[in-house]
Amino acid sequence: MARNPKITFIGAGSTVFMKNIIGDVLQRPALSGATIALMDINPQRLEESAIVVNKLISTLGVKAKAETYSDQRKALTGADFVVVAFQIGGYEPCTVTDFEIPKKFGLRQTIADTLGVGGIMRGLRTVPHLWKICEDMLAVCPEAIMLQYVNPMAINTWAISEKYPTIKQVGLCHSVQGTAMELAHDLDIPYEEIRYRSAGINHMAFYLKFEHRQADGSYKNLYPDLVRAYREGRAPKPGWNPRCPNKVRYEMLTRLGYFVTESSEHFAEYTPYFIKEGREDLIEKFGIPLDEYPKRCIEQIARWKGQAEAYKSADKIEVAQSKEYASSIINSVWTGEPSVIYGNVRNNGCITSLPDNCAAEVPCLVDASGIQPTFIGDLPPQLTALIRTNINVQELTVQALMTENREHIYHAAMMDPHTAAELDLDQIWAMTDELLAAHGDWLPAWARTNHKVQAA
């Protein structure tokens, strides 16, 4: 009898996200008998998630089974796939700290979970926990594939490949397919008729091709149409969030010639051009939603709480397919049926104009042999140059983690494009000091302010 896969979900207390991923998985015939091992440090949220999975199983009428664990290594034992989704330090206290302290210094942010001082701090909090998962995986499931949904994605992926190069891992984000859907909507073209190829780094990948299939089977480049729609005020159309009008990316399209895959609110703080002290005209012109992430956290916590309650009390849980890649990866590896996904992996020469060891986001073929990144070659020079400014920050944060050298935390903050455009060196040092002090025990011991460094 064919064996069923074991899928371990670390951070299963993210009930709504977990429900989407596991719902996708259980709807695939080859995976419908899977063992779902749920692990979380919060017993109440873990129990809620188990109730939701069991209701999914009964709604779909499949033979899967759910198990719950508070012990990470036990949850991982014998796993074939490991899905990771957690936030170290949560909205409170850590996200609040990441916004409030920089604001005191006049540094305003929008999302602060990927780059900038917020992204650096999140990386320092998060990577040690991901490394612990890698250590446990090497002990009890060395062949398993890690599907990693945690931010800061690029820093995490890079740090894992540096310290645990044998771990099979991919960082997953839905911005590539999500943005392609938005652009198709902006141009009133069915998404199914769009063809694209994207490459870069997480949250700063660009569509190298964005095309529309014509009736005769040929393809038409849509970039001129997108620029025209922006110039004529027809694009961007209002999106899901009225606070985020998406103008930054269209503006950058007119300057770079390519459209970036991650949202305007993110992109505004990855570059030095949009959020500037004393330039409220820019904030207004491009509709930049300052402090967006804290607002979103509060709304999301309330919404997810409501949804989790609804799932707990419902007899059946309706399961729509999400746009996450996890289930197609698991299905392709398990059955050999090929699929193509966009994944974050060690570059290894896929993008020849970026460093080999950085975390690149490229199209990957997935089949029984695992996740195989595809070759891109050189990016256009203006895209390479902009991406490198973000890689600098990621590289120095990973260096800090690998060498346990606190100095590199300050260097990373210094190199951040938005921080450097707003603050002088003394302010950057003082702000970093304050952030490290405020984070306290959320950070590894070597990074804490009260950690005594021996004189050489």
Side-chain angles (χ1 to χ4, degrees), residues 78-110:
D80 299 290
F81 303 94
V82 179
V83 182
V84 185
F86 55 63
Q87 186 181 339
I88 302 296
Y91 165 62
E92 286 180 313
C94 289
T95 297
V96 172
T97 302
D98 285 343
F99 273 85
E100 293 309 313
I101 289 175
K103 209 185 285 180
K104 272 175 40 183
F105 288 84
L107 184 66
R108 299 172 298 170
Q109 301 171 99
T110 54

Side-chain angles (χ1 to χ4, degrees), residues 107 271-273 275-277 414 416-423 428:
L107 184 66
T271 53
Y273 315 119
I275 305 172
K276 290 181 176 294
E277 192 61 43
M414 248 175 94
D416 177 61
H418 173 43
T419 304
E422 295 283 271
L423 306 185
I428 293 171

Side-chain angles (χ1 to χ4, degrees), residues 17 33 68 97 105 117 138 157 164 180 199 235 257 259 264 275 291 326 339 362 390 404 439 446:
F17 183 70
T68 58
T97 302
F105 288 84
V117 285
L138 288 177
T157 306
Y164 294 100
F259 204 92
S264 283
I275 305 172
D291 296 328
S339 63
V362 292
N390 281 223
E404 301 192 353
H439 275 83
W446 60 267

Side-chain angles (χ1 to χ4, degrees), residues 207-271:
Y207 296 105
L208 303 176
K209 280 198 311 208
F210 198 80
E211 301 171 324
H212 182 203
R213 189 173 66 245
Q214 305 298 291
D216 64 1
S218 65
Y219 281 86
K220 174 191 170 191
N221 173 17
L222 287 175
Y223 272 139
D225 297 28
L226 285 168
V227 171
R228 196 175 313 115
Y230 177 56
R231 299 245 194 255
E232 293 172 6
R234 291 180 285 112
K237 288 184 180 166
W240 66 274
N241 185 342
R243 292 191 299 263
C244 305
N246 203 20
K247 291 178 183 167
V248 168
R249 293 194 285 177
Y250 271 97
E251 184 63 25
M252 289 304 285
L253 165 64
T254 68
R255 312 289 178 153
L256 296 171
Y258 295 88
F259 204 92
V260 74
T261 55
E262 187 48 65
S263 68
S264 283
E265 52 272 26
H266 274 283
F267 203 73
E269 67 182 4
Y270 298 161
T271 53

Side-chain angles (χ1 to χ4, degrees), residues 170-174 176-177 196-200 205-207 209 261 325 329 340-344 360-364 366 374 376:
V170 62
L172 297 169
C173 179
H174 52 237
V176 175
Q177 64 274 42
Y196 58 81
R197 189 154 206 241
S198 158
F206 292 84
Y207 296 105
K209 280 198 311 208
T261 55
Y325 287 128
I329 294 172
V340 173
I341 60 116
Y342 277 84
N344 292 272
E361 187 170 86
V362 292
C364 302
V366 191
T374 59
I376 298 292

Side-chain angles (χ1 to χ4, degrees), residues 166-191:
T166 62
I167 290 283
K168 297 172 186 169
Q169 58 142 347
V170 62
L172 297 169
C173 179
H174 52 237
S175 60
V176 175
Q177 64 274 42
T179 294
M181 289 171 188
E182 281 177 53
L183 293 180
H185 172 66
D186 282 353
L187 292 177
D188 297 313
I189 294 170
Y191 175 66

Side-chain angles (χ1 to χ4, degrees), residues 219-381:
Y219 281 86
K220 174 191 170 191
N221 173 17
L222 287 175
Y223 272 139
D225 297 28
L226 285 168
V227 171
R228 196 175 313 115
Y230 177 56
R231 299 245 194 255
E232 293 172 6
R234 291 180 285 112
K237 288 184 180 166
W240 66 274
N241 185 342
R243 292 191 299 263
C244 305
N246 203 20
K247 291 178 183 167
V248 168
R249 293 194 285 177
Y250 271 97
E251 184 63 25
M252 289 304 285
L253 165 64
T254 68
R255 312 289 178 153
L256 296 171
Y258 295 88
F259 204 92
V260 74
T261 55
E262 187 48 65
S263 68
S264 283
E265 52 272 26
H266 274 283
F267 203 73
E269 67 182 4
Y270 298 161
T271 53
Y273 315 119
F274 297 98
I275 305 172
K276 290 181 176 294
E277 192 61 43
R279 293 296 309 275
E280 299 313 301
D281 57 314
L282 288 174
I283 304 294
E284 195 171 333
K285 179 181 177 185
F286 294 109
I288 293 161
L290 295 167
D291 296 328
E292 169 62 20
Y293 188 62
K295 293 182 186 122
R296 218 175 268 187
C297 286
I298 293 164
E299 291 166 1
Q300 196 177 50
I301 290 163
R303 189 170 67 246
W304 282 23
K305 212 171 171 180
Q307 275 183 298
E309 285 301 318
Y311 291 147
K312 269 185 0 194
S313 57
D315 292 330
K316 286 185 175 324
I317 296 180
E318 289 316 308
V319 194
Q321 285 280 183
S322 81
K323 58 183 181 191
E324 305 295 350
Y325 287 128
S327 73
S328 68
I329 294 172
I330 295 171
N331 186 65
S332 291
V333 172
W334 199 250
T335 66
E337 180 192 325
S339 63
V340 173
I341 60 116
Y342 277 84
N344 292 272
V345 292
R346 191 178 194 274
N347 184 24
N348 286 346
C350 290
I351 301 176
T352 39
S353 55
L354 297 181
D356 270 358
N357 60 345
C358 80
E361 187 170 86
V362 292
C364 302
L365 171 69
V366 191
D367 61 17
S369 299
I371 295 162
Q372 299 149 81
T374 59
F375 178 77
I376 298 292
D378 277 2
L379 295 176

